[in-house]
């Protein structure tokens, strides 16, 4: 009897490990485009490694003055998404650190349905070869500024000529 | 005993044959050898592999002379188990016309003062999606999208049951096995019946000799797609046949800044277009006409 319980216990643990590895494998890698960083700004640790972490929510007056946060700004501050100790990484809610090329996982934490569509290639944009060649998936941040994500109006290309023009 | 003499019917037959022969000699001799060759070229679907090869070599030489560029003219056939389908997200199109001009460039459309466009972006009042006759495609505001409007790009819908193919009197246009409706520009006589038959205004006529700036010519072409056309040929969107048969997204899909345009194989359950049909609210334009378009408009939600 004792042996049977033991066997069941071991079996359960093995099964658990199996499923966990499965869940980890579900986080696929995508051939994403490089994230749009202002030139010379990455790696962030070039400057931030020697700076002290200031967690206070405040207006930035010396650096990053061009960033105007318009993305649930009342609820959020830099260090909710950017990792404080290693600035070259982003931080998920569960504390996992991810690189900037995997930023879609961070966006997906709030925008779940859009993330689902993005993974299927419906939201967002893909270029190149859809089969048998190199392809590129645009990241969320290639189209939406993460600090101000609303898509801005643009100038249209000229219309066709009217019949009598 | 019957008199051996000409009946009226025989006389007319002989006379007309003689007249025809007499007419055609100066007709064919008055044009250059090139034109005569073109005139006698077979319909693309009736050519043997050898004839196709000769014709491609001739065309490549001619384009080299005209545009100063080495052309690669593909005659690649439809891939097995493919039926191309298109998806367009109406909740995301902002009407910027980037697709229109990317298409012109990719497909060697004429850049005469009046450019030949294969995509027409309709602007509709929000809530008036079915009132196509109230649409406007000459809109030109300083910024798009405008408040209260929806934009709906229309191009060839690659119908499964294409009315344009039915009316062509010379079989110059047909549906390929992968669902693309194509034109043999050399065989087209320019009668424009197909343009009258198309409910989507998807076809364009070359009223004049098309002009393409030499430095903008796209030299990677398909015979049934984006090769430079001639005056009085009808042309149309082919979903970029030269790209999609190699597994590449069409030019308009790549140009769209909002990712409104989607493309894929309708027979592949894992394709993007199948995901749209399975998960989104879709409709096809003028479904009541039974043309069975393979162009699906959909909404994000």
């Amino acid at each position: 009897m004792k042996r049977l319980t033991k066997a069941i216990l071991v079996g359960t643990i093995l099964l658990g490990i199996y499923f966990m590895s499965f869940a980890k494998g579900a986080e696929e890698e995508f051939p994403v485009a490089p994230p749009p960083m202002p030139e010379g700004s990455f790696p962030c640790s070039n400057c931030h490694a020697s700076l002290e972490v200031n967690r206070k929510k405040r207006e930035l007056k010396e650096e990053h003055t061009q960033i105007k946060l318009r993305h649930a700004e009342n609820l959020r501050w830099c260090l909710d998404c950017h990792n404080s100790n290693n600035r070259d990484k982003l931080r998920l809610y569960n504390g996992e650190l991810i690189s900037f090329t995997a930023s879609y996982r961070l966006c997906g934490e709030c925008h779940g349905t859009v993330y689902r569509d993005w993974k299927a290639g419906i939201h967002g944009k893909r270029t190149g070869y859809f089969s048998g060649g190199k392809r590129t998936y645009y990241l969320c941040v290639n189209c939406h500024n993460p600090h101000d994500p609303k898509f801005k109006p643009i100038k249209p290309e000229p219309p066709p000529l009217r019949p009598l023009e | 005993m019957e008199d051996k003499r000409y009946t009226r019917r025989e006389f007319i037959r002989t006379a007309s044959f003689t007249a025809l022969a007499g007419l055609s000699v100066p007709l064919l001799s008055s044009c250059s050898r090139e034109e005569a060759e073109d005139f006698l070229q077979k319909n693309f679907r009736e050519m043997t592999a050898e004839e196709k090869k000769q014709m491609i070599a001739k065309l490549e030489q001619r384009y080299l002379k005209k545009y100063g560029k080495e052309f690669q003219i593909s005659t690649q056939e439809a891939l097995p188990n493919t039926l191309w389908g298109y998806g367009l997200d109406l909740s995301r199109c902002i009407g910027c016309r980037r697709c229109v001009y990317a298409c012109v460039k990719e497909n060697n459309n004429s850049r005469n003062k009046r450019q030949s466009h294969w995509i027409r972006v309709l602007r509709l009042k929000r809530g008036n999606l079915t009132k196509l006759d109230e649409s406007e495609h000459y809109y030109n505001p300083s910024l798009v999208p405008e408040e209260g409007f929806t934009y709906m790009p229309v191009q060839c819908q690659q119908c499964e049951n294409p009315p344009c193919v039915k009316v062509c009197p010379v079989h110059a246009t047909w549906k390929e096995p992968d669902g693309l409706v194509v034109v043999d520009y050399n065989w087209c006589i320019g009668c424009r019946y197909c343009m009258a038959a198309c409910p989507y205004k998807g076809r364009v006529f070359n009223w004049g000799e098309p002009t393409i700036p030499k430095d903008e010519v796209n030299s990677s072409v398909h015979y049934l797609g984006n090769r430079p056309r001639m005056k009085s040929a009808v042309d149309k969107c082919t979903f970029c046949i030269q790209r999609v048969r190699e597994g590449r997204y069409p030019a308009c899909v790549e140009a769209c800044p909002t990712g409104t345009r989607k493309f894929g194989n309708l027979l592949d359950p894992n394709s993007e277009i199948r995901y749209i049909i399975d998960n989104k609210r879709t409709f096809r334009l003028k479904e009541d006409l039974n043309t069975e378009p393979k162009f699906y408009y959909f909404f994000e939600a």
Side-chain angles (χ1 to χ4, degrees), chain A residues 19-91:
Chain A
F19 275 117
M20 265 173 60
S21 68
F22 209 66
K24 199 135 201 184
E27 222 42 83
E28 325 160 49
E29 289 285 320
F30 297 104
V32 295
M37 302 271 200
E39 212 175 307
S41 69
F42 196 81
C44 310
S45 54
N46 276 355
C47 301
H48 279 279
S50 58
L51 293 174
E52 208 176 306
V53 177
N54 182 352
R55 293 179 182 277
K56 195 162 173 275
K57 188 168 177 173
R58 65 195 187 280
E59 195 185 334
L60 300 179
K61 287 198 176 128
E62 284 156 21
E63 282 297 330
H64 301 308
T65 45
Q66 75 285 7
I67 297 176
K68 297 273 175 288
L69 192 63
R70 262 184 237 103
H71 190 184
E73 61 275 14
N74 295 331
L75 305 172
R76 177 173 302 131
W77 191 239
C78 311
L79 300 182
D80 289 326
C81 301
H82 295 274
N83 183 46
S84 56
N85 298 323
N86 179 1
R87 288 299 167 104
D88 299 334
K89 295 278 180 186
L90 296 168
R91 186 179 175 281

Side-chain angles (χ1 to χ4, degrees), chain A residues 117 122 124-125 128 130 158 165, chain B residues 92 101 114 247 254 262 280:
Chain A
D117 279 355
I122 305 308
K125 174 166 154 178
F130 55 83
E165 276 180 285
Chain B
R92 267 198 282 158
Y101 289 88
R114 188 174 297 283
E254 294 202 337
K262 303 293 162 199
K280 301 288 175 187

